[in-house]
Amino acid sequence: MGVRVRFAPSPTGLLHLGGARTALFNYLFASGHKGQCILRIEDTDQGRLVPGSKEGLEESLQWLGVQFHESPSKGGPYGPYIQSERLSLYQQYARELLNGGSGYPCFCGKERLQSLRQRGTTGYDRRCRKLSRRQANEEMSRGSPFTVRLKVPENEVVCVEDAVYGRVEIKSSTIEDQVLLKTDGFPTYHFACVVDDHCMEISHVLRGEEWLLSTAKHCLLYSSLGWKPPQFVHLPLLVSSTGEKLSKRLQGTSVLSYQERGFLAEAVAEFLCRLGWSGGGEREGRSLEELAANFSLSGISRSPATVDEGKLMSTNKRHFRRHLHDPESAAVLARKLAECVKTTLTVPHDSSSLAPEYLFQVLQLLEPGCWKN
Ligand code: GLU
């Protein structure tokens, strides 16, 4: 089977640097293997949706140069590509787990779960797991609302094989009987993600390191459903120059904010591709095609990658120079500069100082060596 990867953002806001880096790594990996890269929108947590963010995410990805073979707007043979449009699929597999005995209905309401938490119980106490099939059926026929939970095996060790972090072992006793399907018929993230990765024939799952431990839950689901898991590839954390975890909520870390500050798209893209991957060679100023040709999973590191703006500046400079040497893109830069001159310069200027030939020569002055006497 060929390479099929997916980028699966939740439409809860702007595309931030971490998400963009994940999307780019997926894109490079697929391109380098002549595989397919898929965009899937994970909107099952309806309470967290932010209107317009799906469109915003797609625009930022397009700006960066990430192209998808299949997506909500493009469609494709494995669609729909928005999880809220796939509910019957998750319900079908939840029923399969119930019938096969790997899942069970849980009738515990919010109040009971809350009081368990208040009493300090870690996770769900598995009360409904002890119900007989007959008791559960009776409860269901009375129309009581229920969630579907996974029967997590007791005292087993779950092994996650990860291409970057190696073998990670997690005791099943630390995993709660997770909810798969909520009372309103919506799946939880973990369930929807596993069902979709399987049904969309995803071969490799590249995503942030923060998902590594929950992958144990996914592995349990794969084995309960009798499916082969994809190859997992977790990407190292991004940290700020002061060592803090880069969070979605941090101001100024959205792709849009870099776009608004005037950075070149290909510079931001290359900068992100080099966060946690070391196979891009020393020389900066590379296109996504060049990076894809060299991309390999073995070049991904485990240690957190630092987002250093100085580095982004130097990458931006490289790409800027590359543009200067290409007449077509230099003309675009000259037009952009003309806009800036018109809107921001307070010193007198006339139309001759806005002429593309003139501005092009001004831009050439940025080349090293130009200012030597
Ligand atoms: N929807 C998840 C997120 O927003 C995707 C995680 C995954 O790639 O499995 O990060």
Side-chain angles (χ1 to χ4, degrees):
M1 193 180 67
V3 163
R4 276 179 66 79
V5 293
R6 85 311 190 263
F7 176 54
S10 299
T12 54
L14 297 170
L15 180 68
H16 60 104
L17 293 186
R21 195 266 312 251
T22 301
L24 281 159
F25 276 35
N26 273 291
Y27 177 65
L28 294 186
F29 185 59
S31 307
H33 287 84
K34 307 227 177 316
Q36 275 117 36
C37 188
I38 291 131
L39 175 66
R40 180 172 79 220
I41 298 292
E42 302 205 328
D43 62 344
T44 57
D45 194 348
Q46 296 274 305
R48 290 177 57 229
L49 301 189
V50 175
S53 48
K54 180 179 138 320
E55 291 72 20
L57 288 167
E58 289 195 79
E59 273 166 37
S60 290
L61 290 163
Q62 197 179 6
W63 181 72
L64 285 171
V66 177
Q67 291 164 41
F68 296 103
H69 292 84
E70 298 162 34
S71 72
S73 46
K74 237 181 162 176
Y78 296 81
Y81 295 90
I82 300 185
Q83 288 187 326
S84 58
E85 295 173 12
R86 300 168 65 81
L87 298 185
S88 57
L89 190 71
Y90 312 125
Q91 290 161 3
Q92 173 200 325
Y93 286 114
R95 259 195 312 274
E96 210 168 276
L97 288 171
L98 281 179
N99 294 340
S102 307
Y104 64 93
C106 172
F107 303 94
C108 295
K110 272 202 188 91
E111 296 72 35
R112 175 160 199 275
L113 298 175
Q114 210 162 3
S115 84
L116 278 182
R117 267 195 296 275
Q118 275 159 4
R119 273 186 274 148
T121 319
T122 39
Y124 177 57
D125 66 353
R126 298 182 166 170
R127 181 165 88 168
C128 291
R129 183 165 166 156
K130 296 169 199 108
L131 295 176
S132 68
R133 207 174 261 263
R134 197 174 52 81
Q135 285 170 312
N137 285 342
E138 272 170 17
E139 200 64 54
M140 279 184 191
S141 54
R142 269 200 287 275
S144 311
F146 64 92
T147 58
V148 177
R149 288 187 184 267
L150 184 73
K151 233 180 237 177
V152 171
E154 283 160 295
N155 305 320
E156 267 187 22
V157 174
V158 186
C159 292
V160 176
E161 298 290 347
D162 187 82
V164 175
Y165 291 86
R167 189 182 173 90
V168 181
E169 298 187 346
I170 293 139
K171 287 190 187 137
S172 70
S173 55
T174 63
I175 304 174
E176 100 170 302
D177 280 359
Q178 48 176 311
V179 172
L180 307 177
L181 206 64
K182 297 180 258 186
T183 48
D184 59 3
F186 269 75
T188 51
Y189 152 71
H190 300 292
F191 189 48
C193 166
V194 166
V195 169
D196 284 347
D197 285 343
H198 172 77
C199 293
M200 294 182 175
E201 298 194 47
I202 298 301
S203 61
H204 296 73
V205 166
L206 280 74
R207 63 181 166 210
E209 189 253 17
E210 66 270 26
W211 297 104
L212 182 58
L213 290 184
S214 21
T215 305
K217 293 183 178 182
H218 300 185
C219 289
L220 285 174
L221 273 167
Y222 279 105
S223 75
S224 304
L225 287 157
W227 296 340
K228 183 176 172 289
Q231 168 72 69
F232 296 109
V233 186
H234 285 88
L235 313 176
L237 274 185
L238 297 189
V239 292
S240 71
S241 42
T242 50
E244 294 153 282
K245 183 177 171 233
L246 216 71
S247 146
K248 280 191 206 185
R249 282 163 267 276
L250 263 184
Q251 286 283 322
T253 60
S254 69
V255 169
L256 185 67
S257 69
Y258 287 90
Q259 186 177 357
E260 284 173 349
R261 284 167 64 197
F263 284 99
L264 293 167
E266 50 278 48
V268 177
E270 179 179 9
F271 168 70
L272 289 171
C273 290
R274 291 174 181 273
L275 290 176
W277 172 58
S278 57
E282 285 291 298
R283 186 178 60 79
E284 287 173 341
R286 300 200 186 232
S287 65
L288 285 184
E289 291 67 42
E290 287 174 276
L291 294 168
N294 293 309
F295 190 79
S296 78
L297 301 183
S298 58
I300 300 177
S301 90
R302 292 180 190 189
S303 23
T306 306
V307 175
D308 169 5
E309 248 195 56
K311 186 96 181 107
L312 172 58
M313 292 287 187
S314 84
T315 312
N316 199 57
K317 231 185 259 171
R318 277 269 176 204
H319 282 273
F320 193 78
R321 282 206 194 111
R322 208 163 52 87
H323 281 300
L324 283 183
H325 292 284
D326 170 42
E328 225 171 275
S329 43
V332 176
L333 287 182
R335 264 204 305 281
K336 279 194 182 159
L337 184 57
E339 275 310 304
C340 291
V341 169
K342 266 196 271 181
T343 53
T344 51
L345 273 201
T346 50
V347 289
H349 58 275
D350 54 27
S351 56
S352 65
S353 58
L354 293 176
E357 306 73 42
Y358 173 74
L359 289 174
F360 179 65
Q361 289 191 15
V362 172
L363 286 170
Q364 299 290 335
L365 293 178
L366 298 171
E367 275 293 2
C370 262
W371 292 8
K372 266 195 282 176
N373 288 331

